[in-house]
Amino acid sequence: MSAGSLAGFTSSDCQYNKNTLNINDLSLAHGSRTLFNNASFSINRGEVSGLIGINGSGKTSLSRILASKELPGFPQSFTVEYLAASDDEEFLAGTYTEEYSEILALKPVDYINQRVKSRTQQLQDKIDELEGLLVDEEVEESGIEAISEELSDLYEIQESLEESTKREMDRAISNLGLNDYLEKSLGDLSSGWRYKCRLVAAFLVHPDLLIIDEPSFLDSESTEWLISMIKNITRASQAMVLFISHKEALLDSLCDSIIYINASNHSITTYHVGYSQFRAIHEKQIEGANKTIASTTDDMVKAEKSLKQLKVQMKKREKNLKATTSQNSDQRFIKGKNKEAKQKADKSAASRLKKAKAAVDDLESNVDVSVEPHDKILLKGKNGCGKSTLIRLILGELEPVEGSITKHGKCIYFPQTALSLLIRQHGNSTAMDYLGENLTQTEARHHLGDFGLAGDLSVRSVNTLSAGQKRNLS
Ligand SMILES: Nc1ncnc2c1ncn2[C@@H]1O[C@H](COP(=O)(O)OP(=O)(O)OP(=O)(O)O)[C@@H](O)[C@H]1O
């Protein structure tokens, strides 16, 4: 598959043996921005490897390098399936050769079939080649016999593939409850249902390497389905799965190993443990390093009082220790993830969730809900049940068929399609241009800096920003 244009990476080699894909000495820089330097890591068959790191550390870039199959030594016979977070990211990754409108006009089954077919093209190409030889007058009689035999084997493989694809598709459609949507075109489906169609197609391809980049839009039932499908494809088909997510619960339930991109020192480390164990190791590393720094600083203050010369030496020591810390750990990754605080936040979210759910459960018949200043409400429901529709009613974009809506004050809405709109309408502009309409250059620069978009990030095309950076911008 194509994974969009990739430049700036170098790798000494990549080997596949004993069911392990080893990537050695991989470096990547976008202009003057280094993402990783001489990084080596491995992915095992039959395992889910979680690829993690802070926003902008290079997870998507790394995935696209793997999906491009352009690494020296990458097994060309591998089927690699890269599933981007949204339709638009998929287009930026170069997954489709068709126009976006053509894809959106397809019905789910046609779309899934088309995507599976494009991945099994190798088989079709071979059949076309042999059929061409059959009518070639220069091929001798004895050769024709061998070609016919090979062709009939290939027809059989193709037929059994079609049958198993159909069987698996029927099962996935019924497990996901896609039946009610089969007559709609993709463009008329909610983002969640469109994403599920892409997932079904990806699993039906039976890839050797499946890369799932930040699964989005899924309700809890579909998330369970995704987890079981990923477990199944790794255990039963011995696929390699590279799973990218910022959601700790998902990483925890899925990953057998963790590939961690440390944005501070541009390294990549593989941890052959699950996510919670990785967190424990990582937290310990940071704790230990912080303690050392703190005690060194303490010593330094005391020493300062008595001996000026010692102060100079201690500063050197502190500097060295800090350098060591950044080699072992990326503090930004752990920041704000204190366990206690998280448990508290989870508890308060759960009690709010109950209230909010009770208020919107009745959506199809009647909604009677009031939103007060300072309320924080979780709007929860199955994919396609009408969450976005309810918001559009509140915003006044839709008229209720019955009842009324009274609105006070200003509403600001950050829709799930915000990223799509940003990419489609401003993909080729810079972040500065995007904000610049209403702000002075200095104001825009300050504002972007506050959202982690300082320096070259503010003047590059929006399309080249990472998903998290785009989200911050929109
Ligand atoms: N084509 C490109 N040209 C220049 N810079 C790019 C390009 N693609 C990505 N970048 C930059 O490389 C960095 C890594 O981007 P990438 O999308 O790989 O990060 P990520 O780890 O997937 O982030 P996120 O968690 O936000 O999705 C970002 O700073 C991004 O702006």
Side-chain angles (χ1 to χ4, degrees):
M1 70 169 281
S2 155
S5 61
L6 286 161
F9 79 82
T10 58
S11 163
S12 72
D13 71 341
C14 161
Q15 296 143 351
Y16 175 65
N17 62 39
K18 296 199 179 133
N19 291 333
T20 299
L21 185 63
N22 296 300
I23 289 101
N24 303 314
D25 298 325
L26 179 64
S27 301
L28 174 70
H30 287 304
S32 59
R33 187 177 289 265
T34 298
L35 294 183
F36 27 86
N37 225 342
N38 290 327
S40 300
F41 59 96
S42 55
I43 310 174
N44 289 336
R45 265 200 191 275
E47 276 191 6
V48 181
S49 303
L51 177 57
I52 61 171
I54 59 167
N55 285 137
S57 55
K59 300 177 295 296
T60 298
S61 305
L62 175 58
S63 307
R64 290 190 187 172
I65 291 174
L66 292 172
S68 74
K69 304 211 281 192
E70 284 172 20
L71 282 175
F74 191 95
Q76 293 304 307
S77 60
F78 262 35
T79 312
V80 184
E81 191 64 17
Y82 171 66
L83 208 77
S86 67
D87 298 344
D88 300 274
E89 294 287 346
E90 199 97 315
F91 270 85
L92 289 181
T95 303
Y96 301 112
T97 47
E98 301 87 347
E99 290 289 318
Y100 194 31
S101 55
E102 287 175 43
I103 298 286
L104 290 183
L106 292 172
K107 292 191 173 151
V109 171
D110 297 331
Y111 166 77
I112 294 168
N113 270 329
Q114 184 166 318
R115 192 145 171 180
V116 175
K117 265 202 181 128
S118 79
R119 298 293 184 275
T120 45
Q121 191 62 42
Q122 261 177 336
L123 181 61
Q124 187 59 50
D125 288 348
K126 187 73 192 161
I127 289 176
D128 291 347
E129 184 194 326
L130 293 178
E131 283 178 342
L133 288 177
L134 272 187
V135 292
D136 187 340
E137 286 170 6
E138 288 182 13
V139 177
E140 289 178 12
E141 197 63 32
S142 56
I144 295 280
E145 209 169 297
I147 291 168
S148 303
E149 262 175 38
E150 196 177 344
L151 254 178
S152 88
D153 287 347
L154 292 182
Y155 287 143
E156 239 174 70
I157 294 173
Q158 197 176 41
E159 205 177 295
S160 82
L161 254 180
E162 276 167 12
E163 269 169 26
S164 65
T165 303
K166 180 160 184 339
R167 237 186 356 260
E168 287 175 36
M169 176 142 55
D170 287 348
R171 198 178 317 138
I173 285 173
S174 116
N175 285 346
L176 274 173
L178 192 54
N179 290 300
D180 297 342
Y181 300 91
L182 294 183
E183 288 313 309
K184 291 196 173 194
S185 57
L186 280 196
D188 291 332
L189 297 183
S190 70
S191 310
W193 281 109
R194 266 207 305 280
Y195 186 72
K196 284 186 241 185
C197 291
R198 290 203 278 127
L199 274 176
V200 172
F203 284 116
L204 289 190
V205 166
H206 292 286
D208 297 280
L209 173 60
L210 172 62
I211 306 173
I212 301 186
D213 193 346
E214 194 65 72
S216 320
F217 313 115
L218 296 178
D219 56 30
S220 41
E221 261 176 51
S222 313
T223 305
E224 287 307 315
W225 173 85
L226 174 66
I227 292 173
S228 75
M229 289 300 283
I230 290 180
K231 286 189 173 159
N232 189 43
I233 200 173
T234 44
R235 308 293 181 261
S237 315
Q238 287 291 296
M240 302 174 170
V241 174
L242 194 59
F243 187 76
I244 302 172
S245 181
H246 292 284
K247 294 185 186 113
E248 301 200 307
L250 263 183
L251 291 165
D252 214 13
S253 55
L254 273 172
C255 298
D256 302 297
S257 63
I258 298 293
I259 298 172
Y260 170 51
I261 305 182
N262 184 338
S264 293
N265 64 6
H266 314 300
S267 68
I268 301 182
T269 312
T270 312
Y271 292 79
H272 294 284
V273 292
Y275 182 72
S276 44
Q277 261 178 290
F278 157 78
R279 280 296 307 268
I281 296 171
H282 196 71
E283 269 166 34
K284 253 199 184 136
Q285 281 174 345
I286 286 181
E287 213 176 287
N290 280 343
K291 265 189 196 153
T292 320
I293 287 177
S295 81
T296 307
T297 311
D298 222 28
D299 288 351
M300 208 175 79
V301 172
K302 284 178 202 154
E304 223 172 52
K305 283 182 189 159
S306 57
L307 210 53
K308 248 185 176 178
Q309 206 182 357
L310 182 61
K311 184 181 159 190
V312 175
Q313 284 173 359
M314 294 303 281
K315 265 195 171 162
K316 270 190 197 159
R317 192 174 154 201
E318 186 196 39
K319 205 172 150 196
N320 289 342
L321 282 164
K322 276 187 174 156
T324 318
T325 313
S326 82
Q327 270 165 22
N328 292 334
S329 56
D330 181 357
Q331 304 240 8
R332 284 172 291 168
F333 181 74
I334 218 85
K335 203 174 158 192
K337 290 192 172 174
N338 175 291
K339 249 193 195 150
E340 233 174 86
K342 190 173 176 298
Q343 279 164 355
K344 265 192 203 159
D346 285 351
K347 268 191 197 152
S348 76
S351 64
R352 287 198 178 282
L353 166 69
K354 263 190 195 161
K355 280 188 219 157
K357 199 178 173 202
V360 296
D361 254 350
D362 233 357
L363 179 65
E364 277 169 24
S365 49
N366 249 317
V367 177
D368 190 6
V369 62
S370 72
V371 181
E372 306 294 336
H374 308 297
D375 274 356
K376 290 178 191 150
I377 297 176
L378 172 65
L379 182 56
K380 192 171 186 283
K382 286 188 162 200
N383 287 131
C385 74
K387 298 180 291 297
S388 303
T389 308
L390 177 59
I391 302 285
R392 291 180 65 200
L393 276 171
I394 294 172
L395 289 174
E397 285 180 12
L398 292 176
E399 282 293 315
V401 271
E402 264 178 50
S404 63
I405 304 237
T406 321
K407 198 174 70 184
H408 299 284
K410 200 164 132 191
C411 282
I412 296 176
Y413 177 41
F414 183 79
Q416 59 185 357
T417 50
L419 278 193
S420 291
L421 294 175
L422 180 73
I423 292 169
R424 275 181 229 165
Q425 295 172 359
H426 305 278
N428 295 321
S429 316
T430 65
M432 281 294 282
D433 291 341
Y434 175 69
L435 278 196
E437 286 166 17
N438 304 315
L439 301 174
T440 66
Q441 290 248 329
T442 317
E443 283 170 339
R445 233 176 233 123
H446 272 132
H447 208 54
L448 289 170
D450 288 345
F451 283 84
L453 293 164
D456 71 311
L457 295 177
S458 65
V459 290
R460 269 207 269 108
S461 86
V462 167
N463 277 343
T464 67
L465 297 178
S466 78
Q469 290 162 344
K470 286 190 196 103
R471 194 170 292 278
N472 285 352
L473 178 61
S474 56

